[in-house]
Amino acid sequence: MSTMTTISENPKAAAATEPATATGLIGFLPVGIARALALGGGVLTVASTFLAWTWTPRFPGDLTFYGSPGGLQLQVLVLGLLTTLFALSSYGVKGTRWLTPAGPDAALKLAALASFATAWFTVGAISVDLGGPVNLEPGGAVVALATLLALLGALALPFERPKLLPVDPEDTGWDQFKHRSANNWATFKAAFATGPVRRLPAMHSSVEILIITAVLAVALGVFTYGIGTEYDELFLGFLITAGFGFAAVNKSGLMQQATQLTKKHQNLSIAGAFTAAALFPFTQTDDQYATLGVYILIFATVALGLNIVVGLAGLLDLGYVAFLGVGAYAAALVSGAPSSPFGVHLPFWAAILVGAGASLVFGVLIGAPTLRLRGDYLAIVTLGFGEIFRIAVMNTDGTSGPDVTNGSNGIASIPNLSIFGFDFGAEHTIAGFTIGRFANYFFLMLLIMAVVVLVFRRSGDSRIGRAWVAIREDETAALAMGINGFRVKLIAFALGASLAGLAGTVQAHVTYTVTPEQYLFAGPIPPNSAFLLAAVVLGGMGTMSGPLVGASLLFLIPNKLQFMGEYQLLAFGVALILLMRFRPEGMIANRRNQLEFHEKDETPATLAKAGA
């Protein structure tokens, strides 16, 4: 376990710290008792999910059955099993050590915390919805006690507590407060620190492929479960379960090992991911959740295009959603919509070229005069372009300007796509499964995303991609090495714009109508420029899968939190702040960003290797 150092704001306390005695967060509970509590609490948590938690089916999910977990009980069951397995690994039980290649204790603490949070949230929700704890059955009390015992046992496990430096009495009250906060944060991080991840043993390629398949199957199952949550309490519990569960699995080292395997078989992993995504519509009985799926794909495709501009080239673009709008409007005007003044009905392959081409032209026209700016100045200009686009399409209504876009009413009644006689607006039966309208567009967007992923991979690994990274890291040094900075940035801007326009052509046909209000800088529902940028940063800048994960979360969560009304954005903002505080490099970050954001955490290990 690596030794943590205290980050002090006091210059007089800048010396390195020495590790103190190994203790737990809740005191000097013997290690044996702590592990027994964690294991016993995990087993009891699993058993409690087979008991009734309430007496009435009025609580969503009907938790009144014995021997048949349902609703939130299933989430607690999964977390209880995870806690039990990590506890067995902490004991060193043969056959469970592979679960924690980075050490069991940190993962066990997070798994126990996840079980506790989800179980107590469920118990609290039952009490609030039904009118008090009196509505709990014995199973509800058992799960509350079991998860509490498991959490106490896990937090009592020892760790290398850093020796905290004393507060300088000459400091002001605010400096002393910051110093104590830094000491407390160092202690907290040390409690959840993990050791180095053990190297994977040599395995046959077929075994590695099976592991990748299992990982993709789990990912598909989690996504399908999350998008198909039927009531509000279930989705909130899913957020708690997925958040803490992902943190626990990540701390165990399993995520790092899965990443190693996917990098080793990158092409196979990408093909498997698209295959898993293509199976999603077959898991749905109607178009209710396939609708969310196709919108998520549109949002994710645009975010991946923005990742070229922001993640690879380092250009802060705050008006990127305008390129999505340009592609949508261009395709709508030539797709045979009755409200289009052109009266043109081009086939889809021509409409998609018009949409992507229009966005490409606008990207060049906007980028040519502005990309000589840097940083905040470039951000302000791109923000202005986004607003100019929205105002322009509102004014080209035949009254304030030429009659092109029908003003605030937009282009309505856009017909469904038909490619080679395949009508995307009609239901089709494939292998006994009925595929509806949105499922058809889901498959189409999956093909377009495959094109975008291919472009991103090829451009990122090419000479121009390395030039983008050089510009992002240090533009002055890149120019000194002979890179034509303006041309390189213009290519990134134009390529990103054309990819957004590509997605916009499908969005116009999916939504039937394009209006200026769909392309704001910020709003409660994506896609908009603020959410697109947040998806890139949250998912992991410069990576291929990061923005896809970030976009999926940022589209799904606001849609599922609409029941919170005016508090929706507040809760969403708090969640983003916490995520960025604990994982600033993003959900899926490259090694460079991890080293930059955790430079102080990596320093002791690096120095130790150098000393050895």
Side-chain angles (χ1 to χ4, degrees):
M1 184 175 294
S2 60
T3 301
M4 306 300 295
T5 57
T6 302
I7 305 170
S8 175
E9 299 290 338
N10 183 4
K12 298 181 180 180
T17 58
E18 295 293 335
T21 55
T23 60
L25 278 174
I26 63 171
F28 294 93
L29 195 66
V31 176
I33 296 178
R35 296 193 193 281
L37 275 178
L39 178 59
V43 173
L44 192 58
T45 299
V46 173
S48 67
T49 60
F50 292 89
L51 305 176
W53 288 9
T54 183
W55 63 274
T56 173
R58 286 192 294 118
F59 185 79
D62 195 0
L63 311 183
T64 62
F65 293 98
Y66 285 85
S68 178
L72 287 162
Q73 288 176 321
L74 290 175
Q75 299 181 16
V76 177
L77 172 61
V78 172
L79 293 175
L81 288 172
L82 199 63
T83 303
T84 302
L85 291 174
F86 286 158
L88 291 174
S89 180
S90 180
Y91 266 110
V93 176
K94 187 176 180 180
T96 61
R97 296 178 183 177
W98 64 271
L99 289 169
T100 54
D105 290 348
L108 175 57
K109 292 171 186 175
L110 284 170
L113 180 60
S115 301
F116 174 82
T118 307
W120 280 69
F121 164 76
T122 306
V123 170
I126 292 173
S127 302
V128 171
D129 289 356
L130 301 182
V134 70
N135 294 282
L136 292 172
E137 285 288 291
V142 171
V143 73
L145 177 62
T147 54
L148 178 61
L149 291 177
L151 180 62
L152 292 177
L155 294 180
L157 293 176
F159 66 96
E160 292 295 328
R161 188 183 298 269
K163 182 179 179 181
L164 305 180
L165 297 177
V167 178
D168 192 335
E170 297 180 2
D171 286 341
T172 63
W174 175 245
D175 289 335
Q176 292 182 13
F177 171 77
K178 289 194 294 182
H179 184 71
R180 292 191 183 97
S181 299
N183 283 341
N184 293 336
W185 177 241
T187 302
F188 179 79
K189 288 200 296 183
F192 290 89
T194 54
V197 180
R198 296 192 294 270
R199 286 185 174 272
L200 284 171
M203 291 183 290
H204 194 272
S205 296
S206 59
V207 177
E208 295 177 343
I209 293 172
L210 286 176
I211 294 175
I212 294 174
T213 304
V215 171
L216 293 174
V218 170
L220 175 62
V222 171
F223 177 77
T224 303
Y225 182 87
I227 204 173
T229 48
E230 299 176 350
Y231 52 92
D232 304 334
E233 293 87 352
L234 186 64
F235 182 72
L236 290 176
F238 169 75
L239 289 181
I240 298 172
T241 300
F244 284 109
F246 173 81
V249 174
N250 184 57
K251 281 293 183 181
S252 70
L254 289 176
M255 291 296 298
Q256 292 90 327
Q257 291 201 345
T259 302
Q260 292 175 20
L261 289 180
T262 54
K263 286 183 178 179
K264 183 177 179 181
H265 305 277
Q266 190 174 40
N267 292 331
L268 180 64
S269 300
I270 294 174
F274 276 99
T275 302
L279 293 176
F280 168 72
F282 295 100
T283 65
Q284 308 300 310
T285 56
D286 53 40
D287 261 4
Q288 179 182 2
Y289 299 119
T291 305
L292 284 178
V294 68
Y295 285 127
I296 287 174
L297 281 183
I298 292 173
F299 187 32
T301 302
V302 180
L304 193 58
L306 178 61
N307 195 30
I308 293 178
V309 180
V310 177
L312 293 182
L315 305 174
L316 185 55
D317 188 348
L318 298 182
Y320 188 76
V321 75
F323 297 121
L324 176 68
V326 170
Y329 266 96
L333 289 171
V334 299
S335 294
S339 53
S340 171
F342 298 152
V344 179
H345 190 177
L346 298 180
F348 174 67
W349 65 266
I352 201 170
L353 290 178
V354 169
S359 295
L360 174 64
V361 170
F362 270 86
V364 173
L365 291 178
I366 299 302
T370 60
L371 286 179
R372 299 188 188 277
L373 300 174
R374 296 186 187 182
D376 299 339
Y377 301 101
L378 178 62
I380 293 172
V381 170
T382 55
L383 176 61
F385 163 66
E387 290 301 302
I388 289 171
F389 166 76
R390 184 178 62 84
I391 295 172
V393 295
M394 288 189 66
N395 289 336
T396 51
D397 57 355
T399 301
S400 303
D403 184 13
V404 178
T405 63
N406 205 22
S408 59
N409 294 324
I411 308 296
S413 301
I414 301 171
N416 283 305
L417 287 175
S418 179
I419 303 177
F420 300 117
F422 185 88
D423 186 359
F424 280 75
E427 290 186 349
H428 300 274
T429 301
I430 301 177
F433 293 91
T434 300
I435 304 299
R437 175 179 183 271
F438 286 100
N440 294 331
Y441 282 107
F442 182 91
F443 289 124
L444 177 61
M445 276 307 306
L446 205 59
L447 290 176
I448 292 178
M449 176 175 281
V451 174
V452 175
V453 167
L454 179 63
V455 171
F456 183 87
R457 282 193 65 196
R458 290 299 186 183
S459 59
D461 295 336
S462 66
R463 179 182 178 185
I464 192 70
R466 292 192 293 271
W468 286 337
V469 174
I471 291 289
R472 181 192 69 192
E473 296 300 321
D474 192 331
E475 184 172 352
T476 303
L479 294 176
M481 295 300 294
I483 294 176
N484 188 332
F486 174 75
R487 182 176 64 86
V488 167
K489 291 191 290 186
L490 186 60
I491 292 174
F493 213 71
L495 181 59
S498 61
L499 294 180
L502 196 66
T505 58
V506 179
Q507 186 207 28
H509 292 84
V510 170
T511 58
Y512 287 125
T513 303
V514 289
T515 58
E517 289 74 18
Q518 295 175 339
Y519 309 106
L520 300 171
F521 167 72
I525 299 295
N528 52 63
S529 292
F531 272 82
L532 286 169
L533 185 60
V536 174
V537 176
L538 173 68
M541 291 192 299
T543 63
M544 183 175 62
S545 54
L548 305 182
V549 175
S552 300
L553 292 176
L554 290 185
F555 193 93
L556 181 62
I557 293 176
N559 275 277
K560 291 290 188 176
L561 292 183
Q562 290 185 18
F563 68 93
M564 299 186 69
E566 59 185 4
Y567 297 103
Q568 172 190 349
L569 286 180
L570 174 63
F572 186 57
V574 170
L576 288 182
I577 290 172
L578 292 176
L579 186 58
M580 288 291 96
R581 177 62 185 88
F582 292 103
R583 197 169 177 83
E585 70 273 21
M587 298 286 293
I588 302 176
N590 57 33
R591 184 60 177 165
R592 181 193 297 272
N593 287 340
Q594 285 181 325
L595 290 175
E596 288 178 355
F597 282 106
H598 300 283
E599 182 179 357
K600 293 183 174 62
D601 297 344
E602 295 285 342
T603 301
T606 305
L607 292 176
K609 290 180 181 179

